[in-house]
Structures are given as C-alpha cells and as structure tokens.
Amino acid sequence: MKKGGTIRPEQIRQAQRLLTELPVKDNRKTREEAAGILEKDFRKAFKKGYTPQELSMMLKNAGIIIPVYLTEKFLKAENGASQPHKKPKKAKPEGDTKPAPTLRSPDVPLGKL
C-alpha cells in the first residue's frame, strides 16, 4: 500500500504554471528592522565621530529614511547608557524609623482648655 496521495500530470502542469507566474516577493524591511541590520555600520560611524542626527540626514539625502531616534538607540547601547537615568533619592536618616508627628486640632474647643 502506498503512503500519501497521487498527483495527476495535469495537476503537475498547473502547479508549474502557478509557480512560474509568481510575482517577485516584496521583501522590504521596516525602518526599525533596517536600523537593526545597519547596527554595526552605525557603530562604526559613531566611532568616526558622526552624530545620530548627521547619519539620519545623510541617509535621508540618499532617499533612505531612518529616524534619529533609531540611530540613537545604538549609540546609547554602545556607551552602556541604555538604561534610563534616575534621579537619586534623598537619603533618610538611618536611626529614625518613626514617621514625623503630625499636628492635629484638639478634640475639645479651645475655650474649655
């Protein structure tokens, strides 16, 4: 007993026609994908002294639009500053763990005190 089905010769010819008539597949990339592919090139350009703004403008003049924020991602990662900077918190006195007392109005009217 054979495994799988059989294909008639006319079906094979139909498949050949379909496959030969296929249009060229659109394999364009998004701007973010393109920036990821160009990561090494961006890093090399940064080492040569170019800024993300300059690189973005050069690419734009060539008809390739990759926004500055995408090129900056690789500059930040290169400098190790990929994490956002946080403001340092004020140091609390270590010995005092009790909250500061709050002032309350008296429960009794002032005249009766």
Side-chain angles (χ1 to χ4, degrees):
M1 189 179 231
K2 295 181 184 179
K3 285 190 175 183
T6 58
I7 299 175
R8 297 185 313 265
E10 66 187 49
Q11 290 174 313
I12 294 172
R13 285 190 295 276
Q14 181 184 7
Q16 286 175 326
R17 251 190 330 272
L18 285 170
L19 295 173
T20 56
E21 294 173 2
L22 283 175
V24 176
K25 187 176 179 181
D26 184 13
N27 59 355
R28 292 188 274 181
K29 304 287 184 194
T30 65
R31 291 175 181 165
E32 193 161 339
E33 290 171 330
I37 292 168
L38 296 169
E39 177 181 359
K40 288 181 183 178
D41 301 294
F42 286 142
R43 291 180 193 274
K44 287 178 187 176
F46 295 146
K47 286 181 182 177
K48 291 180 181 179
Y50 289 94
T51 65
Q53 292 82 6
E54 291 172 323
L55 296 176
S56 183
M57 188 56 67
M58 283 183 223
L59 292 169
K60 184 178 180 181
N61 290 339
I64 304 164
I65 299 173
I66 297 181
V68 174
Y69 78 91
L70 288 174
T71 58
E72 285 176 337
K73 279 173 58 173
F74 303 109
L75 179 62
K76 290 177 183 175
E78 182 179 89
N79 292 338
S82 60
Q83 297 177 358
H85 296 286
K86 294 182 179 179
K87 292 183 181 179
K89 292 183 179 180
K90 292 182 182 178
K92 293 182 182 179
E94 292 179 23
D96 187 21
T97 58
K98 295 179 183 177
T102 57
L103 298 176
R104 290 184 31 197
S105 60
D107 295 337
V108 181
L110 289 176
K112 291 186 178 181
L113 288 175

